[in-house]
Amino acid sequence: MVSAVDVARARLGGILELADRSAPFRELASRLEDRQRLAVADATAGARAFAWSALVAQNARTVALVAPSEDRARRWRAELAGWLGEDRVLAFPERETMPFEASAPSGTAVHQRLLTLWRLSTASAAVAVVTSLRALLEHTIPPEELARRGRTLRAGDRLSWAETAEWLFDLGYEPVTEVSEPGTFSRRGGIIDIYPASAEQPARVELFGDEIETLRAFDPVTQRSQAPLEELVVLPAREFPLEGAPALAEKLVRSGWDRLARGDDGEGTDLGPYATLLDALREGGYAPGADAFAPALGATASLLDHLGARATVVFEDTVELDLAHDALEAQAEERRDELAEQGLPVAVFPPPYVPRSKIESLATEHGSARMGSGPDAVRLGWGGTTSYAGRLNDFIGQLATKAIDGVALIATPQAARLAELLADRDVTTVARETV
C-alpha cells in the first residue's frame, strides 16, 4: 500500500520500472527514440502521465509537455511530480501580459522562465518541462545568448569588480546602496551583494582580492548573512537585452510614434504609456510595453529551441490546443486593430507569437506525440479502474474477498487508516511512504 500524501517526493517513482514490461510502451519509446511524429490512443490522462514520466526516468528522455492553458499545465505538473518528484518537473509559465499591451509582465514569471531554460541547459539528468500553449508561443532568449549572459559563481572563482559591474548592468540589474529587491546589486569594499532575478534570497559574495572567498545567502530585511551557498546562479533580469533599444526607438519615431498625443499631466491619453515607452527606449532603458518588442530586441527563440538532443515534445489534448491556438491569434489581432483605431502606428510591432510553422518544425526535429487515433497510433491500452469514491466499505469488502495474484498497490492519502481497516478483515497490508 502506498501513501500519496506528498507527491513532491516522487512517492510513486519506483513503479516506473514496470513500464518496460508493456509492449505498447516499448513501441512508444522506440518510435520516439527514432524521432517520429506519432499519435497515442487508448490511455487515460493519468496513464499518459505514467508514460511520460517513464520516458524521463527509464529512457532518459527530456519531455516537453504542452497543455492548452496555464491551469491545465499546473495540473500536469502535479501529475508528473507524483512520479518524478518536483525537482525533475520544471515550470515554464506565461509572462501574464497580453500582446501589444503597454504593461510589464510578472517578474516572478519571467525569472521562472529563465531559470527553467538555464536548468534545461545544465541538467545532468533528463527532466520534464511543462508549459501552456501561450507560454510556449511567447518569444524568449536564444540558447546561445542565455549561455553568454548567465553565469554560475562558486567559491574560488575569480571575480573582477569592474567586469562584474559591467556584466550585471548588461543583465539588466540595478545598482543600489542596499540590496532588498530581485534584480539589484551593491558593493561595499570586498563584499558584493547580488539579488539574482531567479533566486528566493539575495547572496553575499565575499572577495579576497579578485577571488571569491565565500558565498552566503542573507536576509534582505536584517541584511545579516545566513547559510553558505555551494553556488550562485545569476541570470538576466529580462528575456531580451536593451542594447538595441535606441535603434528601436528611432524606428518607432520614423513610424510616427513621436506624434502620440499626451495629456496636460504628461501621462497622455490611452496611448500615453506607449509614448512613455518610446522615451525609455531612447535612453536605452526599460518601460512597461517593451516586451511587445521582445523579438525586435533579440528574444527570437522558443522553449523548444532550448531542448537537448534527447527530447520529446508532447502535445496534450490536441483538439483543445488547436482551438486555443486560433483563439490566441484572434485575440492578438483584435487588440492590434483596437490600437490602430486609437491612432497608434501598429505596423512596427513584431509578430506577438512564435509562428506555428517554427513550433511544428522544432517538434518534428525532436519527435513528438499527440493524442489521437489512426492506423499508426500507439495504443497503450491503459484504461481507468472502478471508482470507489464514497464507497469505502464496498472497496474494503472487495479486497477482503477477492483473490489477489501477487501484490496490489493502492495509492491513498489515508494509508495508515486503510491498513487498519483491512487488518480487521485479515488482509495483510504494509503502509509505506514511498515505492
Side-chain angles (χ1 to χ4, degrees):
M1 183 179 297
V2 183
S3 173
V5 178
D6 185 0
V7 297
R9 299 179 184 175
R11 300 199 169 187
L12 304 175
I15 306 174
L16 294 174
E17 295 182 11
L18 301 177
D20 283 336
R21 297 186 186 181
S22 164
F25 175 79
R26 292 197 301 272
E27 180 190 357
L28 172 72
S30 175
R31 291 177 61 178
L32 290 175
E33 188 72 24
D34 293 337
R35 302 186 180 186
Q36 294 185 26
R37 174 175 173 169
L38 54 87
V40 176
D42 293 347
T44 63
R48 298 197 301 273
F50 174 80
W52 311 142
S53 299
L55 287 174
V56 174
Q58 301 301 115
N59 296 82
R61 296 195 69 79
T62 288
V63 170
L65 189 150
V66 184
S69 65
E70 188 66 30
D71 179 65
R72 196 74 64 84
R74 281 193 292 268
R75 281 187 276 170
W76 274 108
R77 286 197 293 271
E79 285 275 353
L80 298 179
W83 301 105
L84 297 169
E86 284 191 350
D87 285 348
R88 296 185 72 179
V89 181
L90 311 181
F92 191 73
E94 299 172 2
R95 282 203 295 266
E96 301 177 7
T97 51
M98 298 307 296
F100 313 125
E101 292 288 347
S103 57
S106 160
T108 301
V110 170
H111 304 158
Q112 180 61 61
R113 285 165 66 91
L114 289 166
L115 183 59
T116 290
L117 298 181
W118 185 261
R119 289 193 59 188
L120 282 173
S121 68
T122 59
S124 58
V127 296
V129 55
V130 183
T131 185
S132 70
L133 177 65
R134 189 157 79 92
L136 173 69
L137 295 177
E138 291 171 331
H139 293 85
T140 191
I141 188 171
E144 61 277 8
E145 184 69 7
L146 180 61
R148 181 185 73 83
R149 303 177 70 206
R151 186 174 173 185
T152 301
L153 303 179
R154 299 180 179 87
D157 289 352
R158 299 195 66 79
L159 198 67
S160 160
W161 164 243
E163 293 176 357
T164 301
E166 182 180 353
W167 166 56
L168 290 172
F169 273 122
D170 178 56
L171 294 187
Y173 284 62
E174 178 185 354
V176 293
T177 56
E178 189 174 273
V179 167
S180 60
E181 297 290 336
T184 59
F185 71 98
S186 70
R187 180 195 181 192
R188 300 185 312 282
I191 296 176
I192 303 174
D193 288 347
I194 307 173
Y195 203 149
S198 55
E200 295 182 358
Q201 280 186 302
R204 182 154 291 152
V205 183
E206 298 184 17
L207 301 175
F208 183 77
D210 280 349
E211 183 176 300
I212 297 177
E213 188 173 31
T214 61
L215 286 169
R216 287 183 175 275
F218 72 88
D219 188 323
V221 177
T222 65
Q223 295 290 303
R224 291 181 178 177
S225 297
Q226 296 179 331
L229 300 172
E230 292 184 6
E231 61 181 32
L232 176 66
V233 176
V234 184
L235 301 178
R238 290 178 291 272
E239 294 177 74
F240 51 87
L242 289 169
E243 288 91 339
L248 173 60
E250 289 304 312
K251 184 177 180 180
L252 296 181
V253 168
R254 291 194 298 272
S255 71
W257 276 46
D258 58 331
R259 297 190 295 274
L260 295 178
R262 291 178 179 273
D264 294 335
D265 59 359
E267 292 299 323
T269 61
D270 289 342
L271 300 181
Y274 297 92
T276 302
L277 169 61
L278 175 60
D279 293 340
L281 293 174
R282 279 172 164 158
E283 300 298 321
Y286 177 85
D291 296 81
F293 293 94
L297 291 168
T300 56
S302 140
L303 165 67
L304 303 188
D305 286 292
H306 290 260
L307 299 180
R310 289 188 56 77
T312 290
V313 182
V314 173
F315 294 97
E316 271 290 350
D317 305 302
T318 308
V319 174
E320 288 187 46
L321 278 172
D322 289 340
L323 293 173
H325 211 151
D326 292 340
L328 288 171
E329 291 179 341
Q331 187 181 42
E333 196 60 35
E334 181 180 352
R335 179 55 181 161
R336 184 186 175 100
D337 292 344
E338 288 174 356
L339 290 171
E341 289 175 4
Q342 294 176 38
L344 182 69
V346 298
V348 72
F349 277 120
Y353 295 125
V354 177
R356 291 195 193 199
S357 57
K358 180 176 180 179
I359 296 297
E360 287 298 327
S361 175
L362 289 169
T364 300
E365 177 183 326
H366 290 290
S368 64
R370 287 171 167 79
M371 306 313 106
S373 56
D376 294 328
V378 175
R379 300 186 179 279
L380 289 176
W382 296 347
T385 59
T386 302
S387 173
Y388 289 94
R391 299 192 296 125
L392 180 59
N393 288 333
D394 292 346
F395 177 58
I396 293 173
Q398 283 222 8
L399 285 176
T401 58
K402 184 179 179 181
I404 298 175
D405 182 15
V407 176
L409 282 163
I410 305 164
T412 171
Q414 300 178 6
R417 177 57 180 156
L418 187 55
E420 292 175 0
L421 294 173
L422 288 170
D424 292 341
R425 299 289 190 98
D426 296 324
V427 177
T428 302
T429 60
V430 179
R432 296 187 182 276
E433 291 296 310
T434 61
V435 176

